[in-house]
Amino acid sequence: MRIINLNPDTNIGASSWFVDIEGHGLLMDAGTHPKLEGRESLPRYDLIRDENVIAIAISHCHHDHVGSLPMALRYFPQARVLMSELSYFLVERVLHNSVNVMKRQRDELGIREYPLFSHDEVDEIAPVFQGFRYNREIDYAWDAKPRANFVLPTLEFYDAGHALGSAGLMVRGQKETLFYTGDVCFHDQTILRKARFENVKADVLIMETTRGNRALPPGFSRESETERLRLSIQRVLARGGSVLLPTFALGRTQEVLALMALWMSEGKLNPQPIYIGGLGRVFTEIYDLEAHRTHRQYPNLQLREALNLIVLDQGQATKMKLGGGRLFVITAGMMSEKTAAHDLGMRMIGDENQAIFFVGYTDPDTPGGRLKAAPQGADFVFSPSAGSVSRRCEVDEFDLTAHANRNDLLDFVGIVDPRTVVLGHGEESSRKWFEDEIRSRYPRIKIIQPVVGGTLNV
Ligand SMILES: [Zn+2]
Ligand SMILES: [Zn+2]
């Protein structure tokens, strides 16, 4: 089996893996790098331009896994695009949103090569997308010539419990198997139940390592953490301050909204409107509409009915009054420039009455990361457009992760029992932790830290 890591960076970056299993090429994920701009943000498709990519399989609809799908299809126009059925309902929305974001960045940040693809291109490629239920074996090498005694490789999606539609990918050849975790969560979230990766066995495992550099504090539980969040929100609202939870539109937004819906229905949080972003609304609607197809908790909870959700209009974040205790659950999770979370944050940071609570990963090199790192009362540069601001608002962080905790992933390695594990989707310190732990716990397993564009014969 031959694997090429196409991520242009050594950290989480843009996920994309080429795998050749018994002569059949498959591209797994086609992401974009959230911190790089223009063509720099793309996976290194140029390295595999001469490969025969029969199919492109998408693990889930976060940008770092699907954001460059139209570019990948320019290299491999004959490829089918395979994903879980739930991702199938999301993917076009995500890609059209990417076009809008890129256009805005071209106009406002002067990135001339944007947009890298157009709305028309998204519409043109959409007919080759195919959605599949979890745990159905798919013959992905459909155009390969059947030969005597030859079993075609197959692909199967496993529920990864990370965000709606998220999947781990099992590729089975005649002689060997590969499992790619995508982004995975081994504990129940508020809506989504944990991954169903039971009984996964494979010769080669490609694994995410997001939380390798993060130990859970002693006594940590998700329940106590959500309770801490609820009490913090209540405290800020009671003093007339507003609360901003910067979140990603797909997944985290719906998980936080579900918490609030439960709190309000149980009388633990006073009912009040919640302001969300336009894209957050779209994905919330899809979470509601596809509730019956989803392996989830509270299957009858419809967020749009349980909550009074108000979509923030373009530009409203810079104008609306913040007194009187408002609740905002809006993008972007890292408060990147030109987002509602950034614009609201800019107005809240200097006001000690307001609170900004983070509920997900924040890269240190983003406005959100810089806000978190700044000491209380200190001046710091929030972003190039906001300039230097003084941190006076309340800032806190709540660990409501949608990624597997590192010890759960380590246990999973033992279940899969591969001959080789390839460590991806993590910072260097995270991958190093896994390398050391796997080496001491499972000494027979070969561990690979892939380099950018490196070919792995595994
Ligand atoms: Zn993800
Ligand atoms: Zn990811």
Side-chain angles (χ1 to χ4, degrees):
M1 193 184 317
R2 196 161 51 92
I3 296 172
I4 303 177
N5 170 32
L6 303 175
N7 184 350
D9 201 350
T10 53
N11 58 26
I12 292 176
S15 284
S16 190
W17 302 87
F18 171 76
V19 53
D20 178 317
I21 187 163
E22 294 159 9
H24 302 284
L26 175 69
L27 187 68
M28 300 189 301
D29 278 345
T32 44
H33 195 304
K35 280 169 60 191
L36 299 179
E37 286 168 354
R39 291 182 180 278
E40 301 273 290
S41 69
L42 298 174
R44 295 291 310 273
Y45 298 129
D46 54 304
L47 297 175
I48 56 163
R49 60 167 72 243
D50 297 327
E51 302 282 355
N52 178 26
V53 173
I54 299 166
I56 301 172
I58 299 298
S59 71
H60 65 294
C61 284
H62 282 152
H63 286 277
D64 58 324
H65 298 262
V66 75
S68 67
L69 179 57
M71 310 300 287
L73 276 166
R74 283 188 202 165
Y75 281 89
F76 312 108
Q78 77 293 346
R80 316 160 83 188
V81 178
L82 315 173
M83 62 194 83
S84 71
E85 67 171 341
L86 290 164
S87 287
Y88 181 81
F89 297 119
L90 298 165
V91 64
E92 287 177 59
R93 306 288 194 133
V94 171
L95 294 174
H96 279 300
N97 178 64
S98 288
V99 178
N100 295 337
V101 171
M102 287 190 284
K103 282 184 169 174
R104 213 159 52 225
Q105 290 182 325
R106 176 197 59 199
D107 296 343
E108 295 173 357
L109 302 174
I111 305 170
R112 291 232 186 107
E113 48 192 2
Y114 277 165
L116 294 174
F117 51 89
S118 65
H119 289 299
D120 283 348
E121 191 170 355
V122 175
D123 290 338
E124 278 159 25
I125 62 173
V128 305
F129 299 169
Q130 287 180 271
F132 297 90
R133 295 208 176 157
Y134 292 127
N135 304 115
R136 303 283 160 96
E137 222 168 334
I138 308 148
D139 165 19
Y140 82 81
W142 62 299
D143 68 352
K145 299 256 187 317
R147 289 177 270 170
N149 306 321
F150 191 80
V151 179
L152 295 172
T154 62
L155 179 70
E156 183 174 339
F157 294 97
Y158 282 70
D159 184 356
H162 164 73
L164 195 71
S166 64
L169 312 180
M170 173 68 86
V171 188
R172 293 188 182 90
Q174 190 180 22
K175 294 200 190 77
E176 49 188 4
T177 52
L178 165 78
F179 190 76
Y180 166 48
T181 61
D183 290 357
V184 56
C185 191
F186 285 122
H187 55 263
D188 289 339
Q189 301 182 62
T190 306
I191 297 180
L192 291 192
R193 287 188 181 276
K194 63 186 175 187
R196 288 177 288 168
F197 282 6
E198 297 89 1
N199 309 321
V200 166
K201 296 270 175 214
D203 299 308
V204 177
L205 173 65
I206 302 179
M207 187 174 94
E208 70 129 307
T209 60
T210 315
R211 285 173 67 91
N213 56 3
R214 185 156 183 166
L216 283 181
F220 176 91
S221 76
R222 197 179 162 89
E223 292 67 35
S224 58
E225 193 70 350
T226 55
E227 184 62 3
R228 194 169 69 84
L229 173 63
R230 182 181 73 81
L231 294 172
S232 299
I233 290 172
Q234 246 178 359
R235 187 168 34 74
V236 178
L237 294 177
R239 68 172 183 239
S242 291
V243 179
L244 163 61
L245 295 128
T247 55
F248 293 104
L250 172 64
R252 194 49 45 87
T253 291
Q254 293 73 36
E255 293 290 343
V256 168
L257 291 179
L259 274 176
M260 292 183 175
L262 294 173
W263 292 336
M264 286 181 188
S265 76
E266 292 163 6
K268 293 178 175 170
L269 187 67
N270 286 337
Q272 69 171 84
I274 300 173
Y275 293 87
I276 61 173
L279 192 62
R281 183 204 63 80
V282 168
F283 293 140
T284 301
E285 197 164 313
I286 298 175
Y287 261 71
D288 281 351
L289 291 171
E290 301 305 331
H292 62 292
R293 297 177 204 263
T294 311
H295 187 61
R296 60 175 277 176
Q297 318 210 66
Y298 313 105
N300 296 321
L301 172 63
Q302 293 280 299
L303 295 168
R304 290 167 306 159
E305 289 168 17
L307 295 166
N308 179 8
L309 300 175
I310 299 178
V311 177
L312 270 190
D313 290 335
Q314 192 98 35
Q316 214 179 338
T318 55
K319 291 196 287 278
M320 69 188 296
K321 280 205 230 138
L322 299 175
R326 297 184 194 266
L327 265 175
F328 299 94
V329 181
I330 49 173
T331 51
M334 302 200 202
M335 305 180 81
S336 332
E337 286 184 279
K338 310 293 173 197
T339 63
H342 176 274
D343 294 350
L344 259 182
M346 233 164 77
R347 299 177 56 209
M348 295 172 80
I349 290 170
D351 181 348
E352 60 197 16
N353 217 25
Q354 318 292 357
I356 300 174
F357 294 151
F358 293 93
V359 291
Y361 175 76
T362 319
D363 189 288
D365 199 19
T366 57
R370 287 190 287 270
L371 168 62
K372 251 166 50 174
Q376 194 65 8
D379 292 348
F380 72 103
V381 175
F382 180 52
S383 69
S385 58
S388 179
V389 292
S390 172
R391 176 178 143 174
R392 307 219 173 271
C393 72
E394 186 177 340
V395 176
D396 206 344
E397 190 178 358
F398 299 85
D399 186 355
L400 305 183
T401 187
H403 287 274
N405 290 315
R406 61 189 193 177
N407 287 312
D408 293 340
L409 261 173
L410 203 54
D411 290 342
F412 179 65
V413 174
I415 293 168
V416 177
D417 192 23
R419 67 168 183 257
T420 304
V421 61
V422 181
L423 302 175
H425 200 284
E427 287 169 23
E428 199 179 327
S429 54
S430 292
R431 288 184 283 108
K432 181 76 174 73
W433 183 87
F434 275 105
E435 179 173 353
D436 294 345
E437 294 296 317
I438 293 169
R439 180 158 296 132
S440 73
R441 226 165 116 175
Y442 313 109
R444 281 187 310 110
I445 298 177
K446 185 178 171 197
I447 304 154
I448 294 181
Q449 300 274 14
V451 295
V452 178
T455 296
L456 314 169
N457 290 299
V458 294

